[in-house]
Amino acid sequence: MSWEVVIGLEVHVQVNTKTKAFCGCSTAFGAEPNTQTCPVCLGMPGQLPVLNMDAVTKTVLTGLAIDATINLESRFDRKNYFYPDLPKGYQISQFAIPLVEHGHLDIPVGGGEKRIGITRIHLEEDAGKSLHEGLEGVSHIDLNRSGIPLMEIVSEPDMRSADEAVAYLKQLHQLVRFLDVSDADMEKGQFRCDANVSVRRPGQPFGTRTELKNLNSFRFIKQAIEYEAMRQIELIEDGGKVVQETRLFDSTKGVTRSMRSKEEAHDYRYFPEPDLPPLRLEREQVEQIRRGMPELPAQMRRRFEQEYGLSSYDAEVLTQTRELAAWYESLAAAHPADPKRCANWLANELLGRLKESGRDIVDSPVSAQQLAGLLDRIADNTISGKIAKDVLDAMIESGEDADAIIEARGLKQVTDTTAIDDMIREVMAANPEQVAQYKAGKEKLFGFFVGQVMKASRGKANPAMVNERLKVLLRE
Amino acid sequence: MRPSSDRGFDAMNVDVMKVAMLARIRLTKDEADELGPQLNKILAYVDKLSGIDTEDVPPTAHPHDVAMPLRADVVSNGNRRDELLAPAPEVENGLYVVPKVIE
């Protein structure tokens, strides 16, 4: 009999506000340690937290985008635990009544879609950072991150494979970036995931789950879940029992291991945060936030297919990020004659070249206007598609316009019949044997002549015209 | 070790040593023996509240009936590192130094 894996995910998303959740300290990434702190986020006695309005707005916007209930009255609670990077000895979080509940996200699954329930989104504050590397017997603490607002997005245990979990996370990652509620840079820890994993026989009640931590890339998430499911199955099949515990994923060894020390302290003794009254929102405030909702990835994909006539694959690729989609739209506006040509040149040629050097569209040395300039020259037959690829290389290299490069390198396509005829006659004169064979019926040689003429023109002859004129002249 | 119930510590039978451990307070056996019954008495007293019928009473979230004031997202604090690190027992390169805490 087969096993079924059951997965629920808790994702911590750093809200991209300029200041922290409860004080006016900057959240800018990469600052010198402990230069962005104040008595509030350091947990000094007698300080009062004041909630950041934008953190609320962005959490509500996220809630609306997943079609959730926005609680017009929500509360904050203290989650108590001791750790040196948590200066107050508690984290301000939302326990009893979160800001957002009962939403869902549709994820692509094998050609179809699957709806994943989202239990809740609550607003909380981040802890500081502990540094251990290269230190003997001590740890170093940087509290710049202490108090940065986080949305904790908790899913229902609705996923049934590591691939579904990754699909959900990618969808969520794309969503928060489109909404501009988070930069969600995983390398900077702005989008962090814990996974609850259990196994069962299909149709049976849920098994005992373990919680996996330290999953900081899509690849590790897949590896960790697959390893953990296999570990649980083997354990049960060998007559053992899964213990409910927190396990840490070790990405170098590809295994999960128990974090026993975490278990003992697993009693957070939540209680209402006395320093913060309930958060109350008016229905009208929520509606105003809803009116500011940008176009979401799924809507944008459909629009790209309809408005630009793109394939669903191209629409998918070009809506991966807001920046890329905006880039495509500028390109299509600047070269309106052929939106599909725009899609091909952006997705295949430009992005491919940028990726080779580890760059993203936002780092492109070629602007949308400049790429449109290149595509115009293909459209008006100034250059062939093949030459255009070389021109694009040169544009990336130099940042110059296509026209300047075509002019400077003399790449303009030859479309003058007389010039092409001259080249054909030269080629025929140089290869009398092949001409004779062709005329005797060896038509396969036609390709040979095309090649020779193109070579003589150094690729600049218009290939369609070469074909046409060759047919005429070889028949003479 | 007796686990705590969902609504807090099980009145009358609180595990003093566990509470002390969670609060990072070191207790001797004698202190625990003395404080345990006292804590249980306090909880039993507070537990009288559970006997009150609150069916028609809306839950009190906060003693003052005020809504939360919110703050605009504008940076208002600058770098006060030297001043704020000054009270720390040990500091190195602008970082707080604490006993090793890695798992």
Side-chain angles (χ1 to χ4, degrees):
Chain A
M1 215 192 341
S2 65
W3 289 93
E4 186 175 63
V5 186
V6 176
I7 305 155
L9 297 171
E10 291 170 20
V11 184
H12 286 92
V13 179
Q14 201 177 89
V15 187
N16 60 356
T17 51
K18 293 184 192 67
T19 64
K20 294 186 179 181
F22 299 109
C23 60
C25 288
S26 170
T27 57
F29 184 83
E32 283 292 302
N34 291 308
T35 54
Q36 295 175 166
T37 65
C38 74
V40 173
C41 57
L42 292 180
M44 301 284 186
Q47 302 297 317
L48 284 176
V50 186
L51 183 57
N52 184 335
M53 194 184 296
D54 276 21
V56 174
T57 305
K58 291 187 173 207
T59 305
V60 170
L61 185 66
T62 310
L64 292 171
I66 58 161
D67 209 11
T69 305
I70 308 300
N71 287 325
L72 295 181
E73 181 167 321
S74 64
R75 303 199 193 145
F76 287 87
D77 301 275
R78 290 187 179 182
K79 177 177 177 175
N80 300 279
Y81 66 93
F82 279 100
Y83 210 74
D85 59 24
L86 186 76
K88 294 195 294 294
Y90 60 85
Q91 176 192 33
I92 303 180
S93 182
Q94 296 192 294
F95 184 59
I97 309 176
L99 187 47
V100 174
E101 279 182 293
H102 316 304
H104 58 81
L105 196 62
D106 294 332
I107 63 165
V109 173
E113 277 196 337
K114 179 172 174 175
R115 177 157 290 188
I116 306 297
I118 293 179
T119 319
R120 55 191 276 154
I121 304 179
H122 61 255
L123 193 51
E124 61 184 28
E125 58 177 342
D126 209 344
K129 218 171 178 172
S130 305
L131 309 160
H132 315 286
E133 216 152 298
L135 299 171
E136 277 297 320
V138 295
S139 294
H140 284 174
I141 308 290
D142 174 10
L143 294 173
N144 280 349
R145 205 178 63 184
S146 169
I148 289 184
L150 297 176
M151 287 186 282
E152 180 171 335
I153 304 177
V154 183
S155 87
E156 293 288 315
D158 285 350
M159 286 148 279
R160 294 291 174 269
S161 69
D163 287 329
E164 283 185 18
V166 170
Y168 166 83
L169 288 167
K170 285 189 170 169
Q171 201 78 4
L172 189 62
H173 186 256
Q174 187 189 35
L175 180 68
V176 296
R177 288 175 46 96
F178 262 77
L179 293 172
D180 193 22
V181 296
S182 175
D183 298 339
D185 187 331
M186 293 177 90
E187 282 174 22
K188 292 180 185 164
Q190 294 166 344
F191 188 91
R192 317 196 283 265
C193 171
D194 298 337
N196 289 308
V197 178
S198 64
V199 298
R200 66 172 172 184
R201 299 291 190 187
Q204 295 294 304
F206 289 144
T208 305
R209 65 186 158 84
T210 57
E211 185 182 4
L212 308 184
K213 287 202 175 284
N214 199 27
L215 311 176
N216 49 20
S217 79
F218 292 128
R219 192 163 58 90
F220 291 161
I221 287 157
K222 186 171 153 70
Q223 278 179 16
I225 292 173
E226 283 172 351
Y227 174 88
E228 179 60 16
M230 198 43 76
R231 186 190 71 86
Q232 292 185 11
I233 290 166
E234 283 173 5
L235 189 64
I236 297 169
E237 287 185 343
D238 289 348
K241 253 189 172 161
V242 176
V243 182
Q244 186 168 342
E245 62 179 354
T246 304
R247 297 178 70 86
L248 196 70
F249 179 62
D250 181 338
S251 59
T252 49
K253 297 200 184 92
V255 301
T256 65
R257 57 185 166 79
S258 182
M259 278 173 84
R260 288 188 207 291
S261 54
K262 180 103 184 154
E263 292 316 298
E264 280 182 38
H266 219 68
D267 186 341
Y268 293 129
R269 296 152 294 143
Y270 284 97
F271 65 87
E273 166 57 276
D275 289 342
L276 294 168
L279 172 60
R280 291 196 186 120
L281 297 171
E282 301 292 331
R283 175 56 57 197
E284 178 47 31
Q285 283 175 282
V286 174
E287 290 314 310
Q288 200 180 329
I289 295 168
R290 194 193 300 275
R291 286 193 287 275
M293 177 80 66
E295 188 178 26
L296 299 180
Q299 297 167 322
M300 195 179 266
R301 277 198 298 275
R302 273 196 295 279
R303 182 168 65 79
F304 274 29
E305 287 173 33
Q306 285 159 8
E307 196 175 320
Y308 300 114
L310 301 186
S311 67
S312 62
Y313 177 79
D314 281 343
E316 169 92 39
V317 169
L318 294 173
T319 54
Q320 279 307 303
T321 65
R322 224 167 10 116
E323 293 81 5
L324 180 59
W327 213 99
Y328 173 73
E329 297 214 80
S330 314
L331 177 62
H335 184 74
D338 196 340
K340 280 189 199 168
R341 177 186 282 139
C342 292
N344 287 338
W345 278 81
L346 172 54
N348 302 329
E349 305 302 333
L350 180 59
L351 278 186
R353 283 164 172 75
L354 290 174
K355 264 185 200 135
E356 276 169 24
S357 54
R359 285 181 288 184
D360 192 42
I361 192 66
V362 291
D363 315 313
S364 173
V366 176
S367 71
Q369 297 299 326
Q370 284 178 306
L371 183 56
L374 176 67
L375 302 189
D376 287 345
R377 294 295 84 82
I378 301 172
D380 67 12
N381 282 324
T382 304
I383 53 172
S384 67
K386 192 165 176 296
I387 294 281
K389 291 180 187 179
D390 297 336
V391 176
L392 182 59
D393 286 332
M395 290 169 78
I396 291 173
E397 185 95 356
S398 66
E400 282 178 56
D401 286 347
D403 284 342
I405 292 164
I406 293 166
E407 187 63 41
R409 302 193 178 187
L411 297 174
K412 207 161 181 277
Q413 185 162 254
V414 179
T415 51
D416 170 15
T417 316
T418 328
I420 289 174
D421 283 2
D422 285 350
M423 282 190 278
I424 291 172
R425 289 210 174 85
E426 266 174 49
V427 168
M428 287 171 68
N431 300 281
E433 240 174 77
Q434 283 84 347
V435 174
Q437 285 173 358
Y438 180 84
K439 287 188 172 170
K442 201 171 174 190
E443 293 193 359
K444 272 200 297 189
L445 281 169
F446 190 76
F448 164 79
F449 290 112
V450 174
Q452 290 296 309
V453 176
M454 290 307 291
K455 200 172 152 193
S457 77
R458 280 174 319 200
K460 289 187 290 182
N462 179 307
M465 289 186 67
V466 170
N467 269 283
E468 195 188 305
R469 296 303 302 160
L470 258 177
K471 275 181 200 153
V472 176
L473 296 179
L474 280 171
R475 227 179 282 136
E476 276 176 2
Chain B
M1 196 178 288
R2 198 188 159 94
S4 59
S5 71
D6 282 350
R7 61 187 174 89
F9 292 102
D10 196 348
M12 329 307 175
N13 202 358
V14 66
D15 184 331
V16 184
M17 289 314 273
K18 185 181 180 188
V19 177
M21 191 270 292
L22 289 171
R24 297 294 189 276
I25 296 170
R26 191 174 293 150
L27 287 186
T28 63
K29 172 93 174 48
D30 286 350
E31 286 168 322
D33 288 345
E34 186 189 343
L35 292 171
Q38 289 182 17
L39 261 180
N40 281 322
K41 259 190 193 161
I42 294 167
L43 286 169
Y45 180 66
V46 175
D47 200 45
K48 284 183 181 166
L49 289 172
S50 328
I52 300 166
D53 177 11
T54 56
E55 193 60 32
D56 300 320
V57 182
T60 306
H62 198 268
H64 305 295
D65 185 28
V66 288
M68 173 112 68
L70 295 174
R71 176 176 62 76
D73 185 29
V74 177
V75 177
S76 56
N77 295 334
N79 176 10
R80 292 167 62 191
R81 181 165 83 177
D82 292 343
E83 178 196 348
L84 293 169
L85 281 181
E90 201 184 341
V91 164
E92 199 182 313
N93 299 326
L95 292 149
Y96 297 91
V97 179
V98 299
K100 198 171 185 73
V101 289
I102 198 165
E103 289 285 341

